[in-house]
Amino acid sequence: MRRSHLILALFIFAVLAAAVLFFGYIPARASMLYGPPARALSISDRIEYSTRLLSHGDLLVAPLNPNGGKQPFRIEQGESISSVATRLEQSSLIVSAQVFYDYVVYTGLDLTIQAGDYTLSPATSIIDLARELQDATPEDIIFVILSGWRLEEIAASLPTSGLEILPEAFISAAGSPPHVLGISSTTMEGFFYPDAYLVPRSATVDQLLDLIARNFVLHITDDIRQGFATQDLDLYQAVTLASIVERESIRDDEQALIASVFLNRLRVGMTLGSDPTVQYALGYDSSAQTWWKNPLSLDDLKFDSLYNTYIYAGLPPAPISNPSLEALQAVAFPATSPYYYFQATCDGSGYHTFAITFEEHLANGCP
């Protein structure tokens, strides 16, 4: 009897030891090595996948090919994890589809793998590759420049653009415009062609500026250049005037008429009297948190700057914003008009009333 009791005790001890091993040590060991299991897993699943991970050993952390190059890989919308795992192995990106599958199910990453395009390498371990598949961030981003923005406003959009270019570096680099523009200036202001640019996330500031400059040159056709010449303007002067037209106009269909007013004033030696040039000279208005202070006071209009076209005749020394193609075309092909004055209508429509004489201009004022 004593012998049978001893055998029974040993059997019970073995069962308990096995239980401790499977229900305690194995999950704890897997959790220590690979992180906690997904909460959605049942106790039995946790034990099963913990056991599988431990059996895979170094396959989870050792890359298939440490010297392997990158290659594109697409995950389709709604594609199953088993399909993704199989194709990763078939593409020679991982050593085993099963090992990958077991890891992502254990961690719960199978539920957060995103559809999209990736660039993957067999020099990446299964663990790291699974984490990469959590973010289908495209290699290129869309960088938008709006018409009428000044340099500082473009720079301010960089931190949220996806590009790793600091605003300060952007402004500094813009002080040396790319040679492709063919201009002699200490600023690229006016030549940031408003558009949506497809830019690699890794682009440097010089690469970005070159891309924008080449887009500007592409859009300034021979016809537009000839139009500038017809108005007795060189490229830089024309862009400067277009930058004023851009800021003065709300309605695109008025730009050619507004351009004619400024050209008429230039031909007779009048000051341009443009509020946006004063706004540009004043710079950032911290109280309103804008680069374009509005309304301007009488003292503002007396601000001594070469950009102030109320007190200095002719064009300002450089563009004050980045004009749209429509504004550039308005300067190249202005309307023919007798007008020397314009002001906003009183109905809030964004249109203007135009006048030949100052007396007519005053009469057009709002009550």
Side-chain angles (χ1 to χ4, degrees):
M1 289 293 294
R2 291 183 179 179
R3 181 178 177 83
S4 61
H5 288 167
L6 178 60
I7 293 173
L8 178 61
L10 289 173
F11 175 76
I12 294 173
F13 176 80
V15 170
L16 291 174
V20 169
L21 180 65
F22 280 93
F23 289 94
Y25 174 77
I26 288 178
R29 180 65 176 170
S31 180
M32 182 179 69
L33 293 176
Y34 308 114
R39 292 184 178 181
L41 292 179
S42 65
I43 293 177
S44 60
D45 283 340
R46 292 184 186 186
I47 295 172
E48 178 184 351
Y49 281 100
S50 295
T51 303
R52 288 186 183 185
L53 293 188
L54 292 176
S55 69
H56 295 322
D58 291 341
L59 294 181
L60 283 161
V61 295
L64 175 62
N65 181 4
N67 300 315
K70 292 184 177 181
Q71 60 177 283
F73 187 84
R74 172 187 285 270
I75 296 179
E76 301 295 341
Q77 193 71 37
E79 184 175 5
S80 69
I81 296 303
S82 59
S83 171
V84 172
T86 299
R87 290 197 303 107
L88 285 170
E89 182 178 342
Q90 292 172 344
S91 300
S92 298
L93 286 166
I94 59 174
V95 66
S96 166
Q98 187 63 57
V99 173
F100 175 86
Y101 181 88
D102 291 344
Y103 176 74
V104 295
V105 171
Y106 169 83
T107 57
L109 293 177
D110 60 318
L111 302 176
T112 52
I113 286 178
Q114 295 186 12
D117 294 313
Y118 297 86
T119 301
L120 305 176
S121 168
T124 305
S125 71
I126 284 179
I127 289 177
D128 290 335
L129 188 143
R131 291 169 181 167
E132 286 187 27
L133 297 182
Q134 303 301 302
D135 182 10
T137 302
E139 297 239 334
D140 297 328
I141 63 97
I142 302 297
F143 182 63
V144 177
I145 297 176
L146 298 183
S147 58
W149 270 2
R150 58 188 282 164
L151 170 62
E152 292 85 354
E153 290 176 291
I154 300 172
S157 71
L158 283 167
T160 56
S161 69
L163 294 172
E164 296 180 359
I165 299 174
L166 296 176
E168 298 80 7
F170 182 81
I171 292 173
S172 176
S176 300
H179 295 301
V180 67
L181 289 174
I183 60 174
S184 177
S185 174
T186 57
T187 177
M188 196 173 155
E189 188 81 273
F191 295 83
F192 292 95
Y193 187 81
D195 207 344
Y197 294 85
L198 185 64
V199 187
R201 286 181 178 272
S202 59
T204 66
V205 64
D206 289 336
Q207 290 170 334
L208 176 61
L209 294 182
D210 186 70
L211 176 65
I212 295 170
R214 291 182 184 280
N215 196 32
F216 177 90
V217 172
L218 179 66
H219 284 85
I220 305 302
T221 63
D222 290 342
D223 287 345
I224 292 178
R225 291 178 184 273
Q226 182 56 51
F228 293 158
T230 301
Q231 308 309 320
D232 294 324
L233 300 170
D234 62 27
L235 176 64
Y236 202 80
Q237 291 170 328
V239 172
T240 300
L241 181 54
S243 73
I244 298 173
V245 172
E246 181 67 51
R247 292 300 311 181
E248 286 281 9
S249 60
I250 296 177
R251 303 288 185 174
D252 288 350
D253 56 356
E254 274 194 340
Q255 289 183 336
L257 194 54
I258 290 175
S260 76
V261 172
F262 288 130
L263 287 166
N264 289 343
R265 282 177 164 247
L266 286 173
R267 291 180 182 124
V268 299
M270 291 176 64
T271 59
L272 296 184
S274 170
D275 284 5
T277 64
V278 179
Q279 293 170 324
Y280 187 83
L282 290 173
Y284 190 71
D285 180 7
S286 56
S287 60
Q289 297 185 330
T290 177
W291 284 98
W292 306 96
K293 182 181 180 182
N294 187 41
L296 295 173
S297 67
L298 291 176
D299 286 339
D300 290 334
L301 298 180
K302 299 175 184 177
F303 183 71
D304 190 9
S305 167
L306 292 177
Y307 284 92
N308 187 340
T309 57
Y310 278 94
I311 59 180
Y312 290 98
L315 292 167
I320 64 165
S321 74
N322 292 279
S324 62
L325 180 61
E326 290 75 17
L328 291 162
Q329 291 173 328
V331 172
F333 314 110
T336 300
S337 82
Y339 302 127
Y340 290 88
Y341 302 91
F342 67 90
Q343 61 181 311
T345 58
C346 305
D347 59 5
S349 65
Y351 284 103
H352 295 81
T353 56
F354 295 80
I356 299 175
T357 67
F358 186 63
E359 290 73 21
E360 292 175 349
H361 178 61
L362 291 178
N364 287 333
C366 299

